[in-house]
Amino acid sequence: MGTKSFLITFAGYPYTPSSFLPDNGMANLASSLINNGDYSRILDYNNLNMTDRLFPKRYRVKIRPLIEAIMEKGEGGKKPGFGNLFSLSFLNHQLNRFQHQEFRRIAQEITVSVRKEKIDFVGLKLWNGDGLTASLTIARELKKVMPDLPIFAGGPSVDIFREEIFKITDDIDALSYGEGEETIVMLSEYVQGKKKLEEIPNLIFKKGKKIITTPVKRIKDLDTLSYPIYDEEIYPAMKGNQKIKIIVLDESRGCPNSCYFCIQPIKSGGLRTKSPGRVVDEIEMLTKKYKINVFEYAGSSTPGVLLKKIAEEILRRGLKVEYTTFGHIRSSHKEDFALLKQSGCYSIFFGIESGNQKILDKVMNKGVKISRMKDVLKASKDAGIFTVGSIIVPAPFETEKTKEETLKLLLDVGIDAVPVQFPGIYPHTEWALHPEKYNFELNKKTYVQKVMNYKIKLFFPPRFWKPLPYKVNGKSFRDFSRETEDFVKRLEHNGILTAVSDDLALLAKYAHLSPREYRDQNRLNFLTGNLENIQKQIEEINKNTSFA
Ligand code: B12
């Protein structure tokens, strides 16, 4: 007899439609356990019901007219009224309090199920912001009544913040960094008394006051992984329209580059890819078993050659699928985009970062020439692929001239959409290690905790958020985030669509809306907790991405 476990993912109030996509990481972990003879069930709280539960009607009716009034005024060029902003701020505070109470109620419900079903251990996925708070609330409530229940946690916040997490919780027995498929099986053995924590790689745990980190072990051959499981009995949120029926396909992990701002190589290690045959076997399995033929590739640096070979294999097998992916400028070949399009590639996300060569070289370490960037982006567009390029504004050493160059690049290429980010400083990146070289000012000792616990203020633009604890080009958060906002306005003024990512564009297609309409409707839907509209859109998408 193996173990019985719950795998829980809860990212807080779902503020973007992408929260509703099934979680491939959890589906993989469940698969590892089940293939090992254990029982496991995925409790995915990033579902439609949560929109209602975390933003109930009594708040919706009050907040909606305020947001609409503020947005209307904003669009007319007038400043939103102080009265409305004040009321919204008050309601925001109340809603936050309510949500935190609700996290506790959810945690108590989980406690009841864990007891009733005699669960041997719980695995939590840790997201950031409220996702971290909500999951740690679950851990706390569980430990309160079952102090001996082993609780493990992994996921993005563990990869990024590591042992810092133990400064805010004592309720986790071990944190699992890196990939979890092998670790979770060993943790199940630990629970059965067959293994010690010290013998398991990829762990961070406390022994008395000491924090122990076991060595990292990356999965070398991704083809050895078992197929993810989305069966409704194992993954109940897959029933009906609680989730969007698009599957995240785990085709590659890690990244071979070392861009100075990016956490990926640190978080996910060096590049590893599944073989094209295995990827397409997985596509066929998922299509046949779950009747879903739309995918989002998970890799954050999918190499051009892999994209090409998967496309060839999809075409060779005559599969009818559609997908979106990250692309990488240096590893892309102009002549491949037509083939990608033919195989079902709907949209691609490229990291552009800046249109200034010196910033790309010295500040970002992108290792790419602007001329090549232009060629690749144009080729992707010419092939009819919805081409997204993200930028960071203000970059370190940004000037009016460099911003002008970025704008010119985007206009020359005729890019389809541009997500604009202000610079984020992740621990262990080059930017974090040598902030002064990149015109940042930050307190290395305190900023990690501040960033880890950072919560966005959903109803307000960034300049109203709690200031992030660093300066960029001598500017405080309020000023540099305003610079980001101003550049967004400038792009929009020049006819460039902002705040649309590759996956949002794909969702828009299946919702039968233009990317702009989908973005605008969703902004309002999620800000006002418009359950009816969110539900209608999920139903529409699912009608079109899945078949009986
Ligand atoms: C694909 C993707 C998604 C997919 C799939 C989610 C997923 N699998 O994590 C979808 C579309 C659902 C998604 C949604 C969101 N995402 Co996302 N996403 C990614 C992306 C590009 C790849 C993730 C991935 O598939 N990795 C491979 C899989 C196998 O790994 P994994 O899911 O993390 O799980 C493994 C390990 O973490 C570990 N593990 C996880 N949990 C546990 C628990 C235990 C007990 C153990 C032992 C191990 C373990 O084992 C798993 C198997 O190896 C990453 C960037 C990146 N390249 O990492 C961002 C990323 C994870 N997303 C991010 C964010 C912020 C979001 C959103 C909030 C939306 C947004 N963009 O603002 C939502 C929120 C999620 C939600 N469900 O509500 C952030 C997370 C930051 C943070 N600290 O939380 C990242 C890092 C991007 C970034 N901004 O840097 N995302």
Side-chain angles (χ1 to χ4, degrees), residues 19 24-25 46 124-125 127-128 154-155 157 180-181 264 267 298 300:
S19 292
N24 52 314
N46 309 309
L124 292 167
K125 181 162 188 169
W127 295 92
N128 55 0
S157 276
E181 286 87 352
Q264 280 317 314
K267 178 183 175 298
S300 50

Side-chain angles (χ1 to χ4, degrees), residues 464-479:
F464 293 109
W465 299 356
K466 202 172 148 201
L468 275 164
Y470 53 86
K471 284 188 174 180
V472 182
N473 303 330
K475 289 182 179 172
S476 66
F477 177 74
R478 205 182 142 81
D479 290 337

Side-chain angles (χ1 to χ4, degrees), residues 7 9 11 15-16 18-26 28-29 46 122-128 152-157 159-161 176 178-181 183-184 187 243 248 250 253 263-264 267-268 296-300 326 426 503:
L7 297 170
T9 170
Y15 56 86
T16 109
S18 77
S19 292
F20 295 128
L21 264 64
D23 193 302
N24 52 314
M26 293 319 232
N28 271 3
L29 293 181
N46 309 309
V122 166
L124 292 167
K125 181 162 188 169
L126 300 187
W127 295 92
N128 55 0
F152 309 117
S157 276
D159 289 335
I160 299 169
F161 300 109
S176 161
E179 289 144 291
E181 286 87 352
T183 314
I184 197 93
L187 286 170
K243 301 288 288 178
V248 180
D250 195 14
R253 292 181 183 175
I263 186 75
Q264 280 317 314
K267 178 183 175 298
S268 320
E296 171 177 335
Y297 291 4
S300 50
F326 276 74
Y426 286 102
D503 53 344

Side-chain angles (χ1 to χ4, degrees), residues 374-530:
K374 263 190 197 166
D375 284 354
V376 167
L377 294 169
K378 271 191 181 152
S380 166
K381 259 217 67 128
D382 289 349
I385 295 172
F386 189 93
T387 305
V388 177
S390 74
I391 55 171
I392 300 176
V393 176
F397 307 107
E398 189 89 82
T399 61
E400 280 313 307
K401 186 175 158 287
T402 58
K403 279 191 275 189
E404 194 60 47
E405 287 172 332
T406 304
L407 176 62
K408 186 172 177 316
L409 168 70
L410 300 172
L411 288 171
D412 281 357
V413 167
I415 196 106
D416 288 306
V418 181
V420 187
Q421 242 93 213
F422 52 71
I425 307 181
Y426 286 102
H428 310 296
T429 57
E430 168 70 13
W431 280 8
L433 296 175
H434 305 288
E436 55 305 326
K437 264 170 77 180
Y438 304 97
N439 230 4
F440 295 122
E441 286 165 53
L442 91 165
N443 182 331
K444 282 194 198 168
K445 280 205 187 106
T446 55
Y447 96 98
V448 178
Q449 277 294 328
K450 286 190 181 159
V451 173
M452 187 171 84
N453 288 299
Y454 197 75
K455 294 181 203 329
I456 63 159
K457 254 177 140 181
L458 193 60
F459 301 127
F460 299 92
R463 81 190 117 98
F464 293 109
W465 299 356
K466 202 172 148 201
L468 275 164
Y470 53 86
K471 284 188 174 180
V472 182
N473 303 330
K475 289 182 179 172
S476 66
F477 177 74
R478 205 182 142 81
D479 290 337
F480 74 71
S481 60
R482 190 188 283 272
E483 196 176 335
T484 315
E485 268 181 60
D486 287 346
F487 199 68
V488 167
K489 283 189 197 136
R490 193 162 155 199
L491 293 182
E492 289 282 346
H493 186 74
N494 279 276
I496 297 175
L497 182 65
T498 59
V500 169
S501 53
D502 58 316
D503 53 344
L504 206 84
L506 183 70
L507 289 170
K509 182 195 161 174
Y510 285 93
H512 291 145
L513 291 169
S514 74
R516 183 179 294 280
E517 284 167 337
Y518 188 66
R519 177 198 71 180
D520 292 346
Q521 287 189 16
N522 268 303
R523 237 178 218 167
L524 203 62
N525 289 343
F526 283 89
L527 277 180
T528 56
N530 192 331

Side-chain angles (χ1 to χ4, degrees), residues 56-69:
K57 200 162 178 192
R58 63 179 185 280
Y59 288 102
R60 297 206 285 265
V61 292
K62 288 186 194 155
I63 285 176
R64 190 165 175 189
L66 287 175
I67 299 259
E68 282 172 353

